[in-house]
Amino acid sequence: MATPSLLLLVADGRFPAGAHAHSGGLEAAVAAGRVTDLATLEEFLAGRLATAGLVGAAFAAAAHRAAVSGSAGADEAARSSTLAQLDAELDARTAAPTLREVSRRQGRALLRAGRTIWPDAPFGDLPATPCGVHQPLVLGLLCAAAGLSRLDTATVAAYGTVTGAASAGVRLLGLDPYRVQALLVGLADACDGTAAEAARAADGPPERLPAAAAPLADIHAEIHATWEVRLFAS
């Protein structure tokens, strides 16, 4: 059983997984003039939570379910098969090649931290893809190793979707950090609701997990990747 401190540690933006280097698409949205102030930042975060947040949280919860389903013999084979299917399904839901690369890059960074902190976790059951696996799958296994529940896992994933972009908003737009934090407090219920929905969805097969999309975010990601100078990696 995890302690509250472990939940806070995994959800902390200072956890060494490289999340601070990413804006969650906000840098491109700011450059396009779509996010200009606190009100439009709130709209951006709410939209991100309902799309990438829901999908990422559901896949993290599904990976957590696979991690705790068993640990010997056929269970290990079943877990490996499920994780491979989850990786393929999430790849199919990530339309922009750049965002697929970003997710796998973040997965590699999180995996390095996870293997150091929880070396006995079943990270070896993740598919051996050349570019690594998607970040939500690693998060699911890491949270299971920490003793967090499936709902905790979905909450960490959904929370990270909005807090990283909110922090980037302070840097990109020069917003008052106190007002940005107040904005996040206002989104807390939506974040909890998204996490609960994602945790419930994880009961189903991988192909039935949420597939909410944000085509404009995909377009922005591809444009952002062409910039020679940028503050964030994504």
Side-chain angles (χ1 to χ4, degrees), residues 49-81:
L49 185 60
T51 53
L54 174 61
V55 173
F59 275 82
H64 179 284
R65 181 190 180 197
V68 300
S69 63
S71 60
D75 290 328
E76 292 183 3
R79 180 166 56 217
S80 295
S81 176

Side-chain angles (χ1 to χ4, degrees), residues 17-111:
H20 65 280
H22 298 268
S23 74
L26 184 66
E27 185 169 23
V30 168
R34 298 183 182 279
V35 179
T36 58
D37 54 19
L38 199 67
T40 49
L41 175 62
E42 183 174 13
E43 293 173 356
F44 176 89
L45 295 178
R48 181 162 168 76
L49 185 60
T51 53
L54 174 61
V55 173
F59 275 82
H64 179 284
R65 181 190 180 197
V68 300
S69 63
S71 60
D75 290 328
E76 292 183 3
R79 180 166 56 217
S80 295
S81 176
T82 298
L83 291 171
Q85 187 177 1
L86 287 170
D87 192 67
E89 289 288 344
L90 186 50
D91 213 54
R93 286 161 174 74
T94 311
T98 293
L99 292 182
R100 291 198 293 270
E101 179 184 346
V102 166
S103 179
R104 293 184 183 280
R105 186 188 315 150
Q106 290 183 308
R108 293 195 302 271
L110 184 60
L111 184 57

Side-chain angles (χ1 to χ4, degrees), residues 34 40 92 123 190 215 220 226:
R34 298 183 182 279
T40 49
F123 295 121
H220 280 169
T226 67

